[in-house]
Amino acid sequence: MNIICRCEDINEKEIIAAIHDGCHTLDDLKRMLRLGMGPCQGRTCLLLAARILARETDQCIEDLSLQTSRPPVIPVPLGILTRDTHD
Amino acid sequence: MIDQADVVIIGGGINGCALAYELSKRDTKVVVVERSSLAAGATGRCGAGIRQQWSTHENVMLAMQSVRIFEQLEEELGASIGFRQGGYLIAINEEEDMQQVQQNVAMQRSLGLDIAILDPDAITDIVPILDVKGMRSIGATFCPTDGHADPFKTTYAYANAAYHAGTSIYLHSEIMDILTKNGTIQGVRTDKKTIQAPVVVNAAGAWSKQIAAMVGLKLPNIPFKKEIIVTERMARIFDAMVISFKDGIYFSQQDEGQILGGIPPPETVTGYHQEPTFSFLTHMASTITRYAPVLQHINVIRQWTGFYDVTPDARPILGPVEEIDGFIQCHGFSGHGFMLAPVVARLLAELIVDTRSSPFLEHLNIARFATNDLEREQSVVG
């Protein structure tokens, strides 16, 4: 069993099942499985998932649109973000 | 290929999908047209809290009915929706608010809601990580049957059940025009095909205004950009949603252990701007760590934006319009669309199929804006 998304513990079989269930974009996989929603924000799993999606849906990997990247991109402690701010 | 239906629903968010399910259950042929993917707009970006503590009588009753439906929804739809009832703890921040709170609670109790007013000391019994002094809180209200559900799972569960009952769902399909003849709905034209139907439902959330404009109907709704953060996962610390109307903050710990919350951005932004801001992030970090200092050690991993589709009285616009026969409105939820969807879907399905209206639908009709007699919902956060 190949683990693809380590943060959210999602394996290849689950991704293939979700694709056959109607997930045809990386964003669909994110919404359905939480793929790429963990601390690494897709840096580990996204390319692997893209290869599976391209293979299962007969698309070129270059044609897939990526998941939207969200700030702050790397995990940042809340305490750091409060410094020098007053409300 | 279906090009005929009884009802076309524009928008594949929670309200469009819940309505599709309720209609299909009543032997109605439904087509859902969604521009992107299911739950891609406000639904999939929302805090997904389910609250019954409102200032208007009507919202309390609607929310209580919605909770009753949520309680048996997993069984009804045959799928997990991540529903849990950890309660809502609403901080009271000002002495002068106490009288209003007591009035609201009396009204909520008269409708049968289980709700308590807590002394400051009792707040940490419910949410141990809160710092009552830091919150500047003189008490709180707590309703144990308020809760949360997973917005994706709930939308998919409704959509799946609707699909198995015969609903067609067209994703990545955009509405180009709404077809009318002599003031009566004839159907819609998408970028892919024409669908004939005597009833069209506008459930396009923050984009409902553009949909209505296609038939010359002007909506008073305004889209407000809202922002949310989510932290890394941790072991379960608390079950309740914590909110404050004064600070506008809300946060809760999700099923997987992450904390998710929002607060109005320092600058109010209307219109369709989707960019997350650093000023929101620091404002949220400052406020949430004032409420729960221990969270300063926890990592934020993501922030994103979504829209509140806000009406002048912060209550939804539901039901028919005078100008066009067969054009049904289902939008303007002003930040509360997820929690109200189960009950709204039933009311609208009864209206469309059984032509049975309810007092709720009468009160929430768009016609109310022609009068000056609006009762504004006060209990709004985020």
Side-chain angles (χ1 to χ4, degrees):
Chain A
M1 184 164 53
N2 296 322
I3 300 291
I4 304 298
C5 174
R6 288 189 286 188
C7 302
E8 299 287 338
D9 195 17
I10 303 161
N11 65 46
E12 185 175 9
K13 225 165 111 183
E14 290 168 311
I15 292 175
I16 292 171
I19 293 167
H20 292 174
D21 232 21
C23 288
H24 287 172
T25 67
L26 290 166
D27 265 332
D28 287 346
L29 287 170
K30 172 177 167 179
R31 294 183 183 121
M32 187 75 95
L33 298 174
R34 302 187 53 79
L35 180 101
M37 281 200 190
C40 96
Q41 288 292 288
R43 278 187 298 279
T44 314
C45 59
L46 203 60
L47 196 58
L48 296 169
R51 280 172 57 183
I52 298 167
L53 180 63
R55 187 185 71 211
E56 296 294 319
T57 56
D58 267 337
Q59 298 180 76
C60 281
I61 196 162
E62 297 82 13
D63 295 337
L64 299 177
S65 40
L66 293 174
Q67 291 179 348
T68 315
S69 300
R70 306 282 190 199
V73 184
I74 56 164
V76 182
L78 281 164
I80 285 181
L81 294 163
T82 64
R83 279 179 203 163
D84 303 315
T85 62
H86 303 277
D87 58 359
Chain B
M1 298 290 265
I2 300 139
D3 57 8
Q4 275 200 320
D6 298 320
V7 181
V8 172
I9 298 173
I10 303 171
I14 184 67
N15 276 285
C17 292
L19 179 57
Y21 166 73
E22 290 290 344
L23 287 169
S24 64
K25 216 169 73 174
R26 291 166 175 78
D27 289 330
T28 304
K29 175 64 208 169
V30 183
V31 174
V32 176
V33 181
E34 163 57 48
R35 181 173 63 171
S36 174
S37 302
L38 295 181
T43 299
R45 296 156 185 273
C46 79
I50 299 164
R51 153 160 73 104
Q52 301 157 97
Q53 305 179 58
W54 297 97
S55 73
T56 58
H57 194 257
E58 187 169 68
N59 265 346
V60 178
M61 287 202 288
L62 281 173
M64 285 176 72
Q65 287 183 28
S66 229
V67 166
R68 268 181 227 123
I69 302 173
F70 270 117
E71 283 169 343
Q72 49 77 53
L73 201 53
E74 296 199 335
E75 199 181 329
E76 180 171 348
L77 301 178
S80 157
I81 62 163
F83 178 64
R84 62 186 162 76
Q85 288 170 295
Y88 258 61
L89 184 133
I90 304 184
I92 307 165
N93 296 94
E94 311 266 7
E95 207 61 65
E96 66 217 48
D97 294 338
M98 197 50 110
Q99 202 186 345
Q100 181 68 47
V101 169
Q102 281 165 346
Q103 268 176 29
N104 287 353
V105 166
M107 177 268 288
Q108 291 155 357
R109 279 194 181 138
S110 76
L111 297 171
L113 190 65
D114 176 9
I115 179 166
I117 299 183
L118 305 180
D119 289 334
D121 298 349
I123 289 176
T124 47
D125 294 343
I126 308 279
V127 182
I129 59 169
L130 289 177
D131 173 8
V132 176
K133 241 191 194 150
M135 292 166 72
R136 299 166 201 150
S137 185
I138 56 164
T141 59
F142 182 67
C143 169
T145 54
D146 286 345
H148 172 271
D150 183 306
F152 296 110
K153 286 182 184 166
T154 310
T155 307
Y156 295 150
Y158 266 126
N160 257 321
Y163 176 75
H164 288 294
T167 291
S168 303
I169 302 176
Y170 297 149
L171 301 178
H172 305 287
S173 290
E174 199 161 349
I175 297 288
M176 307 310 284
D177 203 6
I178 296 173
L179 311 172
T180 61
K181 196 173 160 189
N182 302 329
T184 304
I185 287 287
Q186 304 291 305
V188 298
R189 186 167 57 80
T190 76
D191 55 353
K192 303 195 174 66
K193 61 163 71 177
T194 296
I195 307 159
Q196 293 180 331
V199 176
V200 169
V201 180
N202 182 4
W207 294 270
S208 295
K209 207 175 174 142
Q210 280 92 317
I211 295 296
M214 290 178 179
V215 290
L217 182 71
K218 200 169 172 332
L219 299 184
N221 311 29
I222 300 173
F224 278 81
K225 180 175 88 174
K226 298 291 173 178
E227 303 195 45
I228 289 191
I229 59 164
V230 70
T231 70
E232 62 192 320
R233 294 177 179 204
M234 62 202 90
R236 170 124 333 251
I237 330 174
F238 63 106
D239 294 317
M241 174 82 90
V242 177
I243 74 178
S244 156
F245 296 126
K246 174 160 188 288
D247 291 314
I249 192 171
Y250 65 89
F251 61 95
S252 69
Q253 191 173 16
Q254 306 289 295
D255 267 1
E256 296 84 3
Q258 69 278 40
I259 290 179
L260 184 147
I263 196 165
E267 306 86 29
T268 304
V269 182
T270 60
Y272 298 97
H273 307 282
Q274 307 229 39
E275 302 75 26
T277 61
F278 190 65
S279 59
F280 158 77
L281 185 59
T282 52
H283 180 48
M284 182 66 195
S286 301
T287 313
I288 198 172
T289 54
R290 174 157 71 72
Y291 273 65
V294 69
L295 295 182
Q296 64 185 289
H297 306 294
I298 300 302
N299 284 308
V300 183
I301 60 171
R302 192 165 74 246
Q303 73 178 107
W304 68 93
T305 62
F307 297 111
Y308 276 15
D309 177 29
V310 179
T311 62
D313 59 0
R315 295 150 77 216
I317 296 175
L318 303 176
V321 295
E322 206 177 299
E323 298 86 343
I324 300 131
D325 200 27
F327 192 37
I328 304 291
Q329 308 305 304
C330 177
H331 49 73
F333 288 94
S334 307
H336 317 122
F338 179 74
M339 61 179 85
L340 292 178
V343 64
V344 165
R346 281 200 187 168
L347 294 175
L348 287 178
E350 285 169 5
L351 174 80
I352 294 168
V353 180
D354 312 327
T355 58
R356 193 167 81 225
S357 193
S358 82
F360 293 118
L361 294 183
E362 307 288 330
H363 293 155
L364 294 170
N365 192 278
I366 193 167
R368 72 182 185 272
F369 298 110
T371 71
N372 288 320
D373 189 24
L374 296 179
E375 184 191 11
R376 199 184 148 73
E377 174 54 61
Q378 303 292 341
S379 306
V380 177
V381 288

